[in-house]
Amino acid sequence: MRVADEMDLTLGHEVGYSIPQEDCTGPDTLLRFCWDRLLLQEVASTRGPGAWGVLVLDEAQERSVASDCLQGLLREARLGNLPGDPRVVVITDAAFEPKLQAFWGNPPTVHIPRDPGGSPTPIFRDTVPPDLVEAACQAVLELCQKEAPGDVLVYLPGEEEIALCCDFLSKEVESLALPGPPLQVLPLHPGCGRAVQAVYEDMGTGGARKVVVTHWLADFSFSLPSIRHVIDSGLELRSVYNPRIRAESQVLRPISKCQAEARQVRAQGVTSGLPPSGSCLRLYPESFLEREAPALPRPRLGEENLSSLVLLLKRREIAEPGEWHFLDRPAPEALMQALEDLDYLAALDDDGDLSDLGIVLSEFPLPPELAKVLLASCEFDCVDEVLTLAAMLTAAPGFTRPPLCAEEAALRRALEHADGDHSSLIQVYEAFIQSGADEAWCQARGLSWAALCQARKLREELLELMQRIELPLSPPAFGSEQNRRNLQKALLSGYFLQVARDTDGTGNYLLLTHKHVAQLSSSCCYRNRRPPARLPPWVLYHSFSISRDNCLSIVSEIQPQTLLELAPPYFLSNLPAGESRDLLNQLRAEMAESAAGSDSSSPREFREACVLQ
């Protein structure tokens, strides 16, 4: 929007953008801004430059999976041999230049000098404070007491710290008589949705003074001309995927020197009428940055589940993962785990190429296991419900925060479903639609209105995709007993790798694929029931995070008999030795004896239920 305004052009015509669930471009678009993951899909599908002559990859030092893979795809395409003389411009930090030079074969380089007087000199603390949130809040209040002009940008490790900081400052502003303009405290992170627009409104009009509280999201791709003061915690909280146990860990770690410098630059601003630079307070000693911070951000390619990426490479027949050009090659075990998971999902054939099922899975903008659930829903006649569930799991997974009062908690409990968190998500979405997508309805229940609107858009996109590739649909039947069983079967068709068993009846769940013990998350509907009900002995979970309490998030009860019917036999035989495997083998033997004495229709029904395997 800003570029279109500055160039006096119409947004959606000469200048446009493409983001998930929204394409604001047209046949006359000359300059297009695009989300890197969408561009990766496009470039991979064409195996060439696509419909562009010049491609600018900005902030390459962020090292996102999509950015790194785009460069690998474009190098593989050998741009010089393609028609139309396509050009690629990679914009990055100077510290990342040597690696890019070696990767691209020493291309021409242009250095743009920075304004030497633009950024303020950073001020370091002698020690790292024990409470970063409290230290950041005190620094903000001190700036306001000094009446230092300009808006404030605060960097904290994660969303929890951002929420605590915003709550504290909002309360302090009401109780303190601060000089100068009124204070407007604004969070900035992916969960904010459209509320992010409030950060950019009324810039430079002399109204309220903004305090924007954010994290690593605003390291490179964020710019606000009125920012004059930066408060930097020096830490980031990132999710790091461990392929050995198929789990994410929340890792608190120092930011890189490159990020610290980028945060410092944010304080220079460009608003007229204010001094050229403000202040940059670093809540850590200089030795902390020199000794513990790496030079550049860590590549995300080595920290994420690679199943979706490997599926993309296989779908486009680009190269075997081991032959692919990576800026930094991921660990072999990460690639092997991704291939193993795709094999379990029947996405690969005996030669390691994509099966017919795998080709269909690759059409969906979903993780492979969730795409498998959506395909299985066609067989089990629960497409309407799984479309909703897929959209909710992707765009609005669960409640956004703990309830603020008893009334809000009661309204939330009314949305919980007896069958578990997956059915609760469906129920939340249906209630949201019945409310007319009312924002006040969401606020009263602590739900993210922006995330639910995003889920509605994604559901429409998935439905359109299923219709385009002519997959069968089914009418809504949510709440019926048959639909309940069908939904469980569809979920197990994709998530049989993510099953756990309560070992002692107290909520200590042993994960089947490895011997980690976890508990249900505090937001799980089974934990919130009053009076407390029996915890389910077998559960399917959407995610497992290694944290202070090792949480299973978005959990629903399953029957182990259904697991045995739908999971591949070789998956069950590969489970680690232990009580869980023994119980399943005993149950499988009992089911085989029962099937042998029944009529011939049972084996046929069993085979039909496994068509997607």
Side-chain angles (χ1 to χ4, degrees):
M1 295 182 182
R2 181 175 164 186
V3 173
D5 290 340
E6 291 179 356
M7 299 178 67
D8 195 23
L9 298 174
T10 304
L11 185 66
H13 292 271
E14 297 90 350
V15 177
Y17 64 88
S18 298
I19 58 176
Q21 290 87 57
E22 189 173 351
D23 181 36
C24 185
T25 61
D28 298 327
T29 300
L30 299 176
L31 179 60
R32 174 190 177 213
F33 293 86
C34 184
W35 195 47
D36 56 1
R37 287 186 181 270
L38 290 179
L39 187 61
L40 175 62
Q41 289 278 351
E42 293 178 14
V43 173
S45 65
T46 59
R47 299 192 62 185
W52 48 265
V54 177
L55 174 64
V56 180
L57 293 176
D58 198 7
E59 308 292 3
Q61 73 277 2
E62 286 194 54
R63 303 306 305 275
S64 70
V65 172
S67 176
D68 279 14
C69 292
L70 271 169
Q71 294 186 68
L73 273 171
L74 295 169
R75 176 183 166 181
E76 185 77 20
R78 295 180 178 86
L79 295 173
N81 299 329
L82 294 172
D85 193 24
R87 302 294 178 93
V88 175
V89 179
V90 182
I91 302 175
T92 187
D93 189 89
F96 193 37
E97 180 189 334
K99 180 178 282 290
L100 286 179
Q101 283 276 4
F103 183 78
W104 285 101
N106 296 314
T109 304
V110 177
H111 295 94
I112 301 177
R114 288 178 176 168
D115 181 4
S119 302
T121 301
I123 301 171
F124 292 91
R125 286 284 175 91
D126 293 333
T127 59
V128 176
D131 189 333
L132 283 174
V133 174
E134 181 181 356
C137 292
Q138 291 299 325
V140 171
L141 295 176
E142 288 174 9
L143 281 172
C144 296
Q145 293 286 356
K146 294 177 182 177
E147 299 188 62
D151 292 341
V152 184
L153 184 61
V154 181
Y155 286 96
L156 290 171
E159 294 183 15
E160 182 179 350
E161 291 83 3
I162 292 173
L164 290 172
C165 182
C166 290
D167 289 342
F168 179 84
L169 287 175
S170 298
K171 292 175 183 177
E172 287 295 307
V173 167
E174 294 176 359
S175 60
L176 296 177
L178 295 173
L183 215 60
Q184 184 181 13
V185 183
L186 300 167
L188 177 63
H189 57 76
C192 293
R194 294 185 181 180
V196 170
Q197 291 300 321
V199 174
Y200 299 95
E201 292 173 355
D202 300 322
M203 293 189 301
T205 60
R209 181 182 194 177
K210 291 186 176 68
V211 176
V212 181
V213 189
T214 186
H215 57 16
W216 49 263
L217 176 72
D219 281 341
F220 300 106
S221 302
F222 172 76
S223 177
L224 194 64
S226 57
I227 294 292
R228 284 296 180 279
H229 307 281
V230 169
I231 299 168
D232 178 14
S233 68
L235 296 172
E236 63 177 5
L237 186 68
R238 300 299 290 258
S239 294
V240 177
Y241 184 75
N242 186 334
R244 294 181 180 178
I245 58 175
R246 296 183 173 89
E248 287 189 344
S249 303
Q250 298 297 310
V251 178
L252 182 65
R253 63 194 186 190
I255 61 172
S256 66
K257 295 181 178 68
C258 178
Q259 289 170 275
E261 184 179 352
R263 293 179 178 188
Q264 177 185 345
V265 171
R266 299 280 86 78
Q268 66 186 32
V270 293
T271 301
S272 60
L274 291 176
S277 63
S279 65
C280 175
L281 173 62
R282 291 174 172 171
L283 302 176
Y284 49 89
E286 190 170 6
S287 59
F288 173 84
L289 187 65
E290 294 300 325
R291 296 175 185 174
E292 301 190 38
L296 292 164
R298 299 157 182 86
R300 294 298 296 167
L301 195 63
E303 299 181 338
E304 293 189 7
N305 187 340
L306 300 182
S307 297
S308 296
L309 174 63
V310 172
L311 186 66
L312 174 69
L313 299 182
K314 288 284 187 181
R315 173 69 174 92
R316 307 310 175 192
E317 298 180 354
I318 295 165
E320 290 300 315
E323 303 170 0
W324 179 243
H325 292 296
F326 292 107
L327 275 163
D328 286 282
R329 185 168 294 278
E333 62 188 14
L335 291 172
M336 289 303 299
Q337 178 263 322
L339 288 168
E340 182 182 53
D341 286 358
L342 292 176
D343 187 44
Y344 280 143
L345 292 170
L348 304 179
D349 59 22
D350 293 339
D351 297 324
D353 299 322
L354 279 195
S355 63
D356 292 341
L357 175 64
I359 293 173
V360 180
L361 292 180
S362 68
E363 295 289 340
F364 289 92
L366 300 171
E369 60 274 8
L370 187 53
K372 178 71 177 290
V373 173
L374 191 53
L375 287 185
S377 71
C378 299
E379 181 186 355
F380 296 121
D381 296 324
C382 53
V383 175
D384 188 82
E385 293 75 24
V386 173
L387 277 171
T388 298
L389 182 59
M392 289 291 285
L393 287 172
T394 304
F399 298 113
T400 57
R401 53 172 171 76
L404 299 178
C405 59
E407 182 182 0
E408 183 178 304
L411 290 172
R412 279 198 190 180
R413 282 197 297 273
L415 295 173
E416 293 176 355
H417 196 280
D419 288 344
D421 294 334
H422 294 85
S423 294
S424 295
L425 287 176
I426 298 173
Q427 191 153 277
V428 166
Y429 179 83
E430 293 194 345
F432 170 70
I433 297 301
Q434 290 172 6
S435 75
D438 183 33
E439 188 170 3
W441 181 90
C442 295
Q443 291 175 348
R445 291 156 179 80
L447 301 171
S448 170
W449 176 80
L452 286 166
C453 290
Q454 193 76 358
R456 182 173 60 177
K457 287 184 179 181
L458 178 57
R459 190 186 188 282
E460 294 170 354
E461 180 182 303
L462 293 173
L463 176 59
E464 181 183 346
L465 178 58
M466 292 189 73
Q467 292 171 335
R468 188 167 70 246
I469 58 181
E470 299 181 348
L471 290 173
L473 305 177
S474 56
F478 184 61
S480 69
E481 185 62 29
Q482 184 62 47
N483 182 262
R484 176 188 179 188
R485 292 194 294 268
N486 289 345
L487 186 58
Q488 183 182 129
K489 289 180 179 180
L491 283 169
L492 276 169
S493 297
Y495 285 101
F496 54 84
L497 285 164
Q498 295 172 203
V499 171
R501 179 180 66 89
D502 189 353
T503 58
D504 54 12
T506 63
N508 290 314
Y509 285 92
L510 184 70
L511 278 60
L512 257 61
T513 52
H514 48 82
K515 295 188 176 182
H516 272 71
V517 176
Q519 285 74 40
L520 304 182
S521 70
S522 59
S523 62
C524 177
C525 67
Y526 296 114
R527 292 272 301 269
N528 297 331
R529 290 178 181 172
R530 296 182 180 177
R534 172 192 64 86
L535 293 174
W538 291 80
V539 297
L540 174 147
Y541 58 91
H542 181 67
S543 63
F544 168 48
S545 177
I546 300 177
S547 56
R548 286 172 292 185
D549 48 1
N550 288 1
C551 285
L552 300 179
S553 299
I554 310 182
V555 171
S556 293
E557 183 174 8
I558 63 159
Q559 304 304 317
Q561 294 88 343
T562 311
L563 173 65
L564 289 170
E565 290 178 5
L566 294 170
Y570 54 88
F571 160 72
L572 296 171
S573 63
N574 289 338
L575 288 177
E579 186 179 0
S580 297
R581 190 174 77 170
D582 293 342
L583 286 172
L584 289 173
N585 284 331
Q586 180 183 349
L587 184 57
R588 180 163 56 179
E590 293 172 358
M591 292 171 62
E593 289 181 10
S594 176
S598 62
D599 58 31
S600 58
S601 64
S602 295
R604 181 169 62 254
E605 292 173 359
F606 178 83
R607 287 193 299 271
E608 289 173 354
C610 295
V611 168
L612 290 176
Q613 302 300 327

